[in-house]
Amino acid sequence: MSWWRRGVIYQVYPRSFQDGDGDGVGDLAGLRRRLPYLAELGIDAVWLSPVFPSPMADFGYDVADYCGIDPLFGDLDQFDALAAEARALGLKLVMDFVPNHTSERHPWFLESLASRENPRRDWYVWRDPAPGGGPPNNWLSSFGGPAWTYHPASGQYYLHSYLREQPDLNWRNPRVRAAMYDVLRFWMRRGVDGFRVDVLWRLIKDAQFRDDPVNPAWTPERPQEERLLPLFSADQAEVHDVVAELRQVVDEFPDRVLIGEIYLPLERLVTYYGRDLAGAHLPFNFLLLETAWRADAVAALVEAYEAALPDGGWPNWVLSNHDRVRVSGRAGERQARVAAMLLTTLRGTPTLYYGDELGLGRVPVPAEAVQDPWGKNEPAFGRDPSRTPMQWDVSINAGFSMAEPWLPLSADWRTRNIMTAGDDPGSLLNLYRRLLALRRERPALHAGGWAPLAVAGEVFAFERRAGAERLVVALNFGAEPQRLHRPDLAGARVLLSTAGRDEGATLAEPDLRLAPDEGVILEPVG
Ligand code: GLC
């Protein structure tokens, strides 16, 4: 069974994990120091958000050189040392790959700007103004405002699905594809185990550049970008040829993984596994980020996802990332324990986000400290509260940096940190450690089948089975005690409880009683 099926992925947002050189921003030297922590936590692979040279308009998602390391984070030697140390600890290393757009300072874009005749002009998406003047069509940038910026010197507009500092590459141009595939080879030769591909579903746009239709369901609480339905600006049929090509390149090297960032409804998402599974190994499943935190809603989601997967398509689950409100902020701190159990016991590869093991929530960032460009345009959607520094110990700045961190720590860092949580047997951190250890040990959890057992009140129960091994997971999504009548579970052994009940105890009654916010993993007898 391949490592990316069996294993657990952990996302590191490098600016915020560990500062090694005392400038208040995390870097590769800092991450190297913390690799033993990650190995001991029990994860299998680190996915590193972008560390490439970048003007940092979008904090690294605006790449100016795909084959280097930004001096803020280190250099290629530092990277090689990181890769070697990760390998020695048995950890895989997954890099971010940002193909949809470059930085406006990328040499390719500078050439593209130079003139309409420049050989690299067509590496980006240029269009004439609309007949009466103005942008070529109505497409919107994800961060607010139009997706087109006018370039007076050449009299055309260029497309940017994100910031104007992030011009979109033209993936219909075979030269762009070839150059970008060489980037993947460059990193795989350096020992990288795979890629998380940024905004994979947006790489190809409508060949005719038709207007996106108005979204009748938009309300002012939603992001500006959702005023339109991205019918023509994203998720085009031809993108699947690109996905298949990316997969072929990744398959040139043994045992690598291709993960795609895809925000689409379930039926569209699963098409990214590709025909005959020749697409992404793991189209990221973000559906938990958007589902109401209730037993019935989550149960319905899991069933629908399991049913929609193509034959042989391997599932995956994500609870938090650097773009969305953390799970503890969405579901509440008590339910973060239930969420941890859900994430690590569902069928498929889990991705953890750094800091979720501390229960970090929505860390308040005062207006004057806001860094995120989206947060500057649309404060309600600012991503800084999910990107604050990791809290390691009780020393200065929580052990993150000797200097003032680039984003504030959460106010309770003196009690909420890895050192303090490590000493508390009942902490969320230690719950994660036990869950990850159990998951690794039990084939039913890392490889077995999944079947629903019950949805009753606030309880969602399911089973995992591999050969003769059968485990039952029962989760209480509510703050009230729950009781589930299951005579078949009488005598079952408790392997793990989020609420600290004795492990190894057996259930004496025909009723399974769950404490408020409790999840349990049981091993039924016989
Ligand atoms: C992806 C990244 C996000 C970034 C955007 C533009 O959604 O996860 O952080 O801002 O792409 O690159």
Side-chain angles (χ1 to χ4, degrees):
M1 191 182 195
S2 52
W3 63 268
W4 54 266
R5 285 193 178 88
R6 172 195 288 259
V8 174
I9 301 171
Y10 183 101
Q11 180 189 358
V12 166
Y13 192 68
R15 297 180 69 86
S16 298
F17 200 59
Q18 175 67 59
D19 182 11
D21 63 1
D23 62 359
V25 178
D27 49 38
L28 297 184
L31 171 55
R32 285 173 61 190
R33 249 176 63 203
R34 297 301 184 180
L35 287 175
Y37 161 77
L38 293 173
E40 196 253 9
L41 178 62
I43 57 108
D44 299 275
V46 176
W47 150 34
L48 194 54
S49 284
V51 289
F52 315 106
S54 165
M56 303 289 164
D58 191 19
F59 296 108
Y61 285 96
D62 48 323
V63 178
D65 169 7
Y66 286 102
C67 296
I69 299 290
D70 195 282
L72 185 67
F73 297 121
D75 54 24
L76 280 171
D77 288 340
Q78 190 68 256
F79 177 82
D80 290 341
L82 169 77
E85 287 162 11
R87 201 171 314 120
L89 286 166
L91 295 173
K92 302 286 183 184
L93 188 56
V94 173
M95 297 286 273
D96 224 298
F97 177 57
V98 190
N100 181 67
H101 42 267
T102 68
S103 159
E104 58 170 350
R105 311 238 191 109
H106 194 291
W108 298 340
F109 191 62
L110 298 180
E111 287 187 47
S112 189
L113 277 177
S115 76
R116 290 198 190 199
E117 289 70 42
N118 191 285
R120 291 217 213 268
R121 182 68 167 185
D122 190 42
W123 281 44
Y124 292 82
V125 184
W126 289 98
R127 302 289 288 169
D128 288 333
N137 67 20
N138 70 349
W139 295 354
L140 294 173
S141 149
S142 287
F143 295 147
W148 297 97
T149 288
Y150 189 59
H151 180 238
S154 60
Q156 286 190 310
Y157 283 82
Y158 69 86
L159 179 69
H160 50 89
S161 300
Y162 293 87
L163 300 174
R164 65 167 66 213
E165 293 90 343
Q166 294 168 293
D168 281 33
L169 281 165
N170 175 14
W171 274 82
R172 291 182 185 270
N173 182 335
R175 293 205 166 84
V176 168
R177 296 190 188 193
M180 293 299 273
Y181 299 155
D182 279 343
V183 169
L184 298 179
R185 295 184 184 104
F186 172 88
W187 289 107
M188 288 191 283
R189 274 188 222 110
R190 281 202 119 85
V192 161
D193 297 291
F195 303 94
R196 171 271 190 192
V197 184
D198 195 59
V199 299
L200 182 58
W201 84 108
R202 303 186 72 156
L203 295 186
I204 297 279
K205 286 86 183 171
D206 179 40
Q208 298 168 53
F209 292 89
R210 282 169 281 187
D211 275 356
D212 277 333
V214 167
N215 174 7
W218 183 81
T219 54
E221 306 81 61
R222 299 297 305 161
Q224 289 293 326
E225 132 182 78
E226 292 180 17
R227 281 171 174 272
L228 301 181
L229 296 168
L231 202 63
F232 296 111
S233 53
D235 192 32
Q236 301 299 294
E238 303 97 307
V239 76
H240 292 287
D241 301 335
V242 177
V243 180
E245 287 178 14
L246 288 166
R247 170 64 179 272
Q248 280 165 21
V249 175
V250 164
D251 282 350
E252 290 169 13
F253 294 73
D255 222 18
R256 304 302 207 269
V257 70
L258 183 69
I259 305 173
E261 185 204 23
I262 298 157
Y263 284 97
L264 285 175
L266 182 49
E267 332 66 79
R268 304 294 317 147
L269 170 65
V270 293
T271 63
Y272 284 75
Y273 283 97
R275 195 173 306 132
D276 301 325
L277 301 183
H281 294 106
L282 300 175
F284 254 151
N285 166 7
F286 296 133
L287 300 164
L288 277 175
L289 296 170
E290 278 150 18
T291 300
W293 197 257
R294 291 195 325 259
D296 58 349
V298 172
L301 163 64
V302 179
E303 287 206 51
Y305 180 66
E306 284 278 347
L309 286 170
D311 266 356
W314 186 252
N316 76 89
W317 295 95
V318 177
L319 273 181
S320 297
N321 63 32
H322 64 295
D323 294 324
R324 297 298 171 109
V325 178
R326 286 177 180 275
V327 65
S328 184
R330 302 195 311 273
E333 175 134 33
R334 294 206 191 90
Q335 280 293 315
R337 301 174 70 84
V338 171
M341 187 172 276
L342 178 75
L343 178 71
T344 50
T345 60
L346 283 173
R347 189 173 81 92
T349 307
T351 299
L352 269 73
Y353 183 48
Y354 89 96
D356 267 13
E357 71 271 43
L358 283 177
L360 280 178
R362 233 181 155 142
V363 177
V365 175
E368 64 279 8
V370 167
Q371 303 283 337
D372 177 27
W374 190 9
K376 288 179 182 169
N377 282 348
E378 294 187 83
F381 305 103
R383 299 169 292 179
D384 295 329
S386 301
R387 297 176 172 182
T388 61
M390 185 65 161
Q391 301 173 172
W392 293 103
D393 55 38
V394 296
S395 68
I396 181 167
N397 296 322
F400 168 70
S401 176
M402 297 300 282
E404 180 77 12
W406 76 289
L407 279 174
L409 298 160
S410 96
D412 56 1
W413 65 267
R414 287 182 184 77
T415 49
R416 191 188 297 279
N417 58 67
I418 296 295
M419 191 185 92
T420 306
D423 290 340
D424 171 4
S427 68
L428 179 59
L429 173 64
N430 281 320
L431 175 64
Y432 263 110
R433 286 184 173 139
R434 286 184 294 147
L435 284 165
L436 293 172
L438 189 66
R439 184 185 164 91
R440 207 175 252 185
E441 189 185 309
R442 294 299 194 121
L445 292 179
H446 63 247
W450 179 90
L453 271 191
V455 187
E458 278 307 326
V459 179
F460 172 31
F462 52 86
E463 68 167 36
R464 300 295 315 278
R465 197 192 279 261
E469 184 183 61
R470 174 172 176 250
L471 302 181
V472 169
V473 180
L475 306 169
N476 181 356
F477 280 69
E480 301 294 323
Q482 298 280 332
R483 178 195 286 216
L484 196 65
H485 188 62
R486 292 297 302 204
D488 58 314
L489 294 179
R493 205 159 67 90
V494 178
L495 297 185
L496 220 162
S497 153
T498 65
R501 73 167 88 184
D502 278 352
E503 281 158 26
T506 51
L507 299 184
E509 332 170 19
D511 284 358
L512 166 62
R513 291 163 188 273
L514 290 173
D517 308 295
E518 183 183 24
V520 291
I521 304 175
L522 307 169
E523 184 158 37
V525 281

